[in-house]
Amino acid sequence: MDRTVTFSGTYTGFLIHVARAMAPWRLALLPVVGLAMLAYVLKLFSRQRLKEINQTLMIGYHVERARLMPHIESYADKVVATNLRSGAVAQIAQDRADGYRLVLATASYRLYVEPIARRLGFDAVIATDHLSQDLRYVRARIAGENCYDTGKLRMIKAWMAAEAIDRTQAHIRAYSDHVSDAPMLEFADIPFASNPHKPLARLAAARGWTRVDWT
């Protein structure tokens, strides 16, 4: 999703949007978020742990879902209004017209991805889940894997198995802007490097994958 369907990442914007709406004092913790990101770059903890720390800082460790959801819905409205690539939206419409089942697979949290996906007409979402995803409170803990890199492909395969989709009978188009999605792109029948950053652009050229540059 991020930088493939959208121009910019959605995760930091989600944290700031909710913090501003629910507890503006938390915005003073943004420098601490920056330090956590530096610690991740220095490999002091995992990408998954970074997301948990940032959510705790900006939203809270234990937040009532009923209080949170109106702000998540308003954030989804904001993303759809201001942060979508028109070329991506056109491709989504084309794939739907071609009879494809539309699945959004992303490292971003299901919590706010599903409202965005619903607005765009996706049929399913594969995303990073919170622990106790369906309970009354949202906790800043990830359930299972972060939907990223090889973990994303494992989650896609698990979803297909749960849906009784036989890989040999499926025809898959996949789109990504980032080289971390190389496992998913390799898995697809038709992979697209969409607005790729340089490492993915180089890999796509080497593998013969189609490059698309959406506005």
Side-chain angles (χ1 to χ4, degrees), residues 24-156:
W25 63 268
R26 289 187 179 274
L27 297 176
L29 299 176
L30 280 171
V32 184
V33 171
L35 290 174
M37 294 180 70
L38 177 60
Y40 163 71
V41 170
L42 295 174
K43 302 185 184 302
L44 298 181
F45 47 71
S46 68
R47 189 181 188 92
Q48 179 166 328
R49 184 61 183 143
L50 173 66
K51 293 170 79 169
E52 293 172 343
I53 290 169
N54 286 348
Q55 184 174 328
T56 299
L57 289 169
M58 299 305 295
I59 298 177
Y61 180 75
H62 190 252
V63 183
E64 192 172 12
R65 185 178 299 273
R67 290 185 58 230
L68 191 56
M69 289 311 298
H71 307 302
I72 289 173
E73 292 291 341
S74 67
Y75 181 62
D77 286 336
K78 180 179 179 180
V79 170
V80 170
T82 66
N83 194 19
L84 294 183
R85 295 181 184 273
S86 59
V89 173
Q91 187 64 58
I92 290 167
Q94 183 61 59
D95 285 346
R96 183 185 298 110
D98 289 343
Y100 281 89
R101 187 173 182 180
L102 303 180
V103 182
L104 184 58
T106 175
S108 297
Y109 281 126
R110 179 183 303 276
L111 186 69
Y112 72 84
V113 169
E114 283 190 333
I116 295 170
R118 185 171 66 248
R119 285 159 171 78
L120 295 176
F122 277 87
D123 300 301
V125 169
I126 301 168
T128 303
D129 283 312
H130 285 91
L131 195 66
S132 304
Q133 177 79 23
D134 299 322
L135 299 184
R136 178 179 173 183
Y137 289 92
V138 174
R139 286 186 283 170
R141 291 287 304 279
I142 289 175
E145 290 192 85
N146 188 32
C147 188
Y148 183 76
D149 200 276
T150 55
K152 179 179 289 187
L153 179 57
R154 281 191 292 272
M155 293 173 73
I156 289 170

